Amino acid sequence: MKKYECPDCGYIYDETLGAEHEGYPAGTKFEDLPDDFPCPDCFVREKPDFVEVEA
Amino acid sequence: MTGKVEKIKTGIENAGVADATAAVVKEDSAWIKNKRYMYFASMILPGIPILSAFLAGETGNGLWLWSLFIVFYGILPVLDQWSGVDAANPSDELVEELKDDRYYVYILYGATIMHWIALVYMAYTVSTLDISWFSILGGALSIGLANGLALVAGHEMGHKVNDKVQVFFAKLILAVSGYGHFFIEHNKGHHKDVATPEDPATSAFGESIYKFVQREIPGAFRRAWELESARLHRLGKSEWSLSNEIIQPALITITAYTLMLAYFGPVMIPFLAIGAAYGWWQLTGANYIEHYGLMRERDANGRYERCQARHSWNSNHKISNLVLLHLQRHSDHHAHPTRPYQVLRDYPEVPGLPSGYPFMLALAMFPSAWFSLMNPKVVNWAEGDMNKVNIDPDVKEEMFKRYHNPKVA
């Protein structure tokens, strides 16, 4: 399971948690998110902008 | 204010610079901290209709109900010009100190309660006093202006989506004027599409506010509903469910308005309709001002560049920034939408407005005056290249003829 960070607000997309409120259940792989997936906190960065967090 | 100016890195992209700097003066820190007490304005302003309704009841003179209207258009713009500009920026250390201070949030919770009291008490007053329709109109318009301020506080709280209590209060305060869909539309729609022709909440060059509102209000509602439906469908739910975050605040509004109609009688129909509509109109005005004519460019893949500091109009006017929770530091807000109001910053070389929103809102209602003041500013921003301006398609040809004169590099 990997983590990806929003370069704007610092939100971390953690695959183990998903983004439940936005309808992406726990365990949803980052690669399975749609390309226009916006940061669920600030909404001004999208999937292509996210940066993988080193484990 | 005096002191050594320090340039700090902000991580904001502006005009090709990936990491634009902002000016910070250490000596300003004391003033920035002192502003905490001035943000009480958010609780005091909805107190004006409460006090004026009380005075109308005591004196029997319904003209008191116009108080907030007069304060807003007559006194605020003058105070705003007189008090001048506050360009103080918090340092990184001060941002760390202030950004998580709950005090600033509690003021907004207090404001939420004040706005509901103001609405109900004003409704009670116009229904029980024997006053003229003109006084009732004053009460409705004053509540409309208060509703506009409620939307500003709702905007601030509605951005904090990882704080359930703030989102709850956002729904509650947006429900005062029946505009609960706003935080969804704004966060996920406007912030994504801002400064593009696709955004119903971004005004185009040559578009009057009266034309804009016909595109903005329905367009924003439609976009909110689509975004919320899509979210619920991903969760395997119907859009017609109580999980729908547009329906939740709408139920609060419907319940409250129905009760007021039942207890206070048919005068509630014009009173509540005018109050809500005038609140929406304030928001339309803010949206109209904030990005007028500005446009993001597309990259080689056709994707819009990320929103930069240069894609919003700004104002550092002191009084209006205190009243409007620094909404006028709009470039920083779009760069960091979750950044709390007390730590928003100003940047050099961002598009600037000649006055704060109260004056600009009034000006926008006179389209020819608005165009003659703002159009040259937009043309200047685009360096005369009208291809870089977000122009109303209906007047595109005319505007090109009149203004297109790109600077030769």
Side-chain angles (χ1 to χ4, degrees):
Chain A
M1 288 290 176
K2 293 185 198 160
K3 293 178 181 178
Y4 297 81
E5 185 173 5
C6 168
D8 185 78
C9 71
Y11 165 86
I12 290 178
Y13 182 81
D14 181 341
E15 291 181 339
T16 50
L17 302 173
E20 295 273 4
H21 182 263
E22 288 303 313
Y24 302 102
T28 305
K29 292 260 191 266
F30 188 74
E31 61 188 46
D32 294 334
L33 294 171
D35 281 343
D36 62 355
F37 169 82
C39 168
D41 261 11
C42 72
F43 298 100
V44 293
R45 292 294 181 276
E46 288 156 11
K47 184 180 170 183
D49 304 309
F50 274 68
V51 182
E52 190 175 342
V53 182
E54 302 295 327
Chain B
M1 269 156 244
T2 53
K4 192 168 156 282
V5 179
E6 193 189 335
K7 299 270 184 190
I8 57 162
K9 297 280 185 189
T10 59
I12 281 194
E13 189 178 353
N14 194 29
V17 181
D19 202 355
T21 56
V24 169
V25 179
K26 279 260 173 336
E27 284 76 2
D28 286 346
S29 295
W31 153 247
I32 293 168
K33 285 190 201 173
N34 273 333
K35 275 199 268 187
R36 67 193 282 120
Y37 304 107
M38 300 180 195
Y39 292 122
F40 260 126
S42 288
M43 286 172 69
I44 292 167
L45 283 166
I48 293 176
I50 297 173
L51 183 66
S52 65
F54 173 76
L55 289 170
E58 288 294 299
T59 62
N61 187 344
L63 292 176
W64 277 110
L65 303 185
W66 283 89
S67 298
L68 186 60
F69 190 88
I70 291 162
V71 166
F72 197 89
Y73 289 114
I75 299 175
L76 266 187
V78 177
L79 272 183
D80 213 20
Q81 286 304 60
W82 166 78
S83 68
V85 162
D86 167 23
N89 279 330
S91 64
D92 286 341
E93 299 79 52
L94 195 55
V95 169
E96 282 308 309
E97 188 185 329
L98 299 182
K99 75 177 171 53
D100 298 321
D101 187 341
R102 300 300 289 172
Y103 166 86
Y104 294 96
V105 180
Y106 295 148
I107 285 185
L108 304 181
Y109 296 168
T112 306
I113 294 161
M114 289 294 281
H115 279 285
W116 271 108
I117 295 173
L119 177 71
V120 175
Y121 188 48
M122 184 65 86
Y124 165 80
T125 301
V126 299
S127 68
T128 49
L129 291 188
D130 182 22
I131 50 175
S132 68
W133 67 265
F134 182 74
S135 296
I136 294 174
L137 178 68
L141 292 177
S142 288
I143 280 300
L145 286 169
N147 286 345
L149 296 169
L151 292 173
V152 174
H155 164 260
E156 173 71 27
M157 293 186 281
H159 267 296
K160 310 300 183 290
V161 289
N162 56 11
D163 180 345
K164 284 199 168 67
V165 185
Q166 285 203 61
V167 172
F168 169 77
F169 272 92
K171 290 172 186 167
L172 201 56
I173 199 168
L174 295 173
V176 176
S177 61
Y179 222 64
H181 64 285
F182 173 69
F183 81 104
I184 293 171
E185 129 66 19
H186 179 83
N187 294 358
K188 299 185 182 178
H190 173 64
H191 273 273
K192 174 173 172 285
D193 295 335
V194 63
T196 71
E198 283 86 53
D199 184 20
T202 292
S203 62
F205 190 87
E207 181 180 40
S208 79
I209 192 170
Y210 304 106
K211 189 175 178 200
F212 173 65
V213 64
Q214 298 172 50
R215 181 166 74 85
E216 187 233 16
I217 290 182
F221 186 80
R222 210 176 301 128
R223 184 165 63 182
W225 190 261
E226 283 165 6
L227 286 162
E228 186 61 355
S229 300
R231 182 184 77 88
L232 291 164
H233 293 165
R234 282 196 297 272
L235 287 165
K237 293 179 181 172
S238 158
E239 59 268 45
W240 298 104
S241 88
L242 283 177
S243 302
N244 184 321
E245 294 191 306
I246 298 173
I247 292 179
Q248 291 166 4
L251 287 175
I252 301 174
T253 308
I254 292 167
T255 308
Y257 280 30
T258 307
L259 285 172
M260 283 188 274
L261 183 62
Y263 282 98
F264 302 147
V267 70
M268 284 300 105
I269 294 171
F271 170 78
L272 292 172
I274 292 169
Y278 207 57
W280 300 6
W281 175 250
Q282 306 311 310
L283 181 70
T284 296
N287 275 333
Y288 183 74
I289 291 165
E290 284 160 354
H291 310 280
Y292 177 74
L294 307 179
M295 187 163 71
R296 284 150 61 191
E297 289 180 38
R298 287 181 193 269
D299 65 16
N301 303 323
R303 186 180 180 225
Y304 283 110
E305 60 178 326
R306 299 297 84 194
C307 182
Q308 296 189 25
R310 64 192 299 268
H311 295 122
S312 305
W313 293 103
N314 290 264
S315 155
N316 263 332
H317 284 76
K318 194 186 283 177
I319 299 287
S320 47
N321 263 326
L322 286 169
V323 169
L324 300 171
L325 306 172
H326 275 291
L327 188 61
Q328 303 176 138
R329 286 189 164 174
H330 211 63
S331 288
D332 201 17
H333 171 61
H334 271 274
H336 304 297
T338 52
R339 178 171 282 180
Y341 65 96
Q342 67 273 23
V343 293
L344 286 172
R345 285 174 175 152
D346 174 48
Y347 294 90
E349 290 159 49
V350 289
L353 295 167
S355 185
Y357 286 1
F359 175 79
M360 299 308 287
L361 279 168
L363 186 75
M365 292 199 249
F366 302 94
S368 57
W370 173 269
F371 292 147
S372 61
L373 184 72
M374 290 303 292
N375 286 4
K377 286 185 186 294
V378 178
V379 174
N380 190 36
W381 171 88
E383 299 184 317
D385 186 353
M386 293 304 283
N387 291 306
K388 293 184 176 168
V389 175
N390 177 18
I391 310 178
D392 178 356
D394 293 345
V395 293
K396 194 158 189 170
E397 212 173 308
E398 186 193 333
M399 292 297 140
F400 254 82
K401 240 183 243 165
R402 207 148 126 204
Y403 294 109
H404 189 59
N405 183 20
K407 264 192 202 165
V408 185

